């Protein structure tokens, strides 16, 4: 195949759809072997079949501490290393506080915050090993959101709170790990066509408002690949990527 990530192993959470699936495809196209993580095993197996011998399937719920820890150990054992972690798994439910379903709030906090914390914590020893290896660098990329930078609309409160939280965690981790040659970065998308935005109606709404439409998952996958293929001396810490016509 021949690419800038030849010989590396990447873990992608949320690989069963949308941005995660597109990112897994893009990393494989660049030469990586990818561990595909999500709960829907059938979807992961379909993607793994498409990617040939370059992908392995791990069914896991990112909110399950023991499950995540076991999965990271299994990936490192099966695939030999973890050079890149992409924290993509996420959940969004945009409802004003007065009408809120508390279970939905809990799910967002669990998946978007605890999921990122648990996954990152479990991957870190392996990322540090990789950074000490021949490649000399490792990467954590978290898919945050424009909502990690600002609250763009009412109803987005808890989703934005979860994304602000991972932005804070990511920045602290960046300061902790740069000296050990683990780069830590954030990709902050605006509206992207995916199951999340198709189900909520946000994709259809954006299609109506924006002449050029919303972004495709591949646009965000491109940003992730750019981040993890920089020379060792350069770390892209943050990329905010919006549809051209998205204003907020
Ligand atoms: N679409 C947008 O406009 C947009 C904008 C900004 C940021 N984002 C962020 O981008 C990321 C990906 O979203 P997407 O738009 O691609 O949505 P999506 O197509 O709905 O994908 C969400 C992914 O997360 C996984 N997931 C959810 N809960 C999980 C859990 N408990 N354990 C393991 N995996 C879980 C899902 O897999 P399973 O259901 O198979 O477990 C799925 O693969 C999210 O973090 C989202 O917040 C999206």
């Amino acid at each position: 195949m021949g690419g800038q990530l030849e010989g590396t192993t990447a873990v992608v959470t949320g690989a069963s759809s949308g941005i995660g699936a597109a990112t897994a495809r893009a990393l494989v196209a660049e030469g990586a072997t990818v561990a595909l993580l999500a709960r829907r095993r059938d979807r992961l197996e379909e993607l793994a079949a498409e990617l040939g011998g370059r992908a392995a399937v791990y069914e896991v719920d990112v909110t399950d501490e023991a499950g995540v820890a076991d999965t990271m150990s299994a990936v490192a054992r099966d695939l030999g290393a973890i050079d890149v972690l992409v924290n993509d798994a996420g959940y969004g439910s945009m409802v004003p506080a007065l009408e809120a379903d508390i279970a939905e709030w809990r799910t967002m906090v669990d998946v978007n915050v605890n999921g990122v914390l648990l996954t990152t914590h479990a991957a870190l020893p392996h990322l540090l090993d990789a950074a000490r290896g021949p490649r000399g660098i490792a990467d954590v990329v978290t898919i945050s959101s424009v909502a990690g930078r600002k609250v763009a609309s009412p109803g987005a409160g808890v989703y934005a709170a979860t994304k602000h939280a991972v932005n804070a965690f990511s920045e602290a981790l960046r300061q902790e790990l740069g000296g050990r040659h683990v780069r830590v970065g954030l990709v902050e998308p605006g509206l992207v066509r995916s199951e999340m935005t198709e189900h909520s109606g946000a994709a259809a709404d954006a299609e109506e408002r924006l002449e050029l439409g919303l972004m495709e998952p591949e646009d965000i996958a491109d940003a992730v690949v750019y981040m993890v293929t920089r020379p060792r001396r350069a770390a892209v810490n943050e990329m905010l990527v919006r549809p051209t016509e998205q204003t907020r």
Side-chain angles (χ1 to χ4, degrees), residues 13-113:
T13 71
S16 59
S17 71
I19 294 167
T23 299
R25 286 190 182 94
L27 293 168
V28 167
E30 204 53 60
T33 297
V34 180
L36 308 172
L37 276 57
R39 293 165 303 178
R40 287 173 292 175
R41 173 175 282 276
D42 54 332
R43 297 282 293 265
L44 297 178
E45 279 172 353
E46 258 174 54
L47 180 57
E50 175 195 321
L51 297 175
R54 291 285 195 165
V57 168
Y58 298 88
E59 179 184 336
V60 67
D61 184 325
V62 293
T63 68
D64 170 6
E65 181 178 348
V68 167
D70 290 349
T71 298
M72 287 305 162
S73 302
V75 172
R77 188 182 61 236
D78 299 346
L79 306 180
I82 301 177
D83 298 280
V84 173
L85 168 66
V86 181
N87 285 313
D88 168 81
Y91 181 70
S93 171
M94 310 298 167
V95 182
L98 277 174
E99 296 147 37
D101 173 345
I102 299 297
E104 292 278 285
W105 280 6
R106 284 190 190 279
T107 302
M108 278 189 278
V109 172
D110 258 3
V111 178
N112 299 357
V113 182

Side-chain angles (χ1 to χ4, degrees), residues 14 30 60 91 94 112 124 137 150 153 166 186 190 197 203-204 209 212 220 225 240-242:
E30 204 53 60
V60 67
Y91 181 70
M94 310 298 167
N112 299 357
L124 274 182
I137 197 80
K150 59 191 292 195
S153 61
V166 295
L186 290 161
T197 50
R209 283 185 295 114
L212 303 180
I220 306 308
V225 169
L240 179 61
V241 191
R242 286 190 181 90

Side-chain angles (χ1 to χ4, degrees), residues 12 36 54 117 119 123 143 148 152-153 165 181 203 247:
V12 180
L36 308 172
R54 291 285 195 165
L117 303 184
T119 307
I143 309 300
S153 61
H181 304 170
T247 49

Side-chain angles (χ1 to χ4, degrees), residues 126-144:
H126 307 291
L127 292 161
L128 287 166
D129 280 350
R132 286 190 292 262
R135 186 161 172 263
I137 197 80
D139 287 278
V140 181
V141 179
T142 297
I143 309 300
S144 176

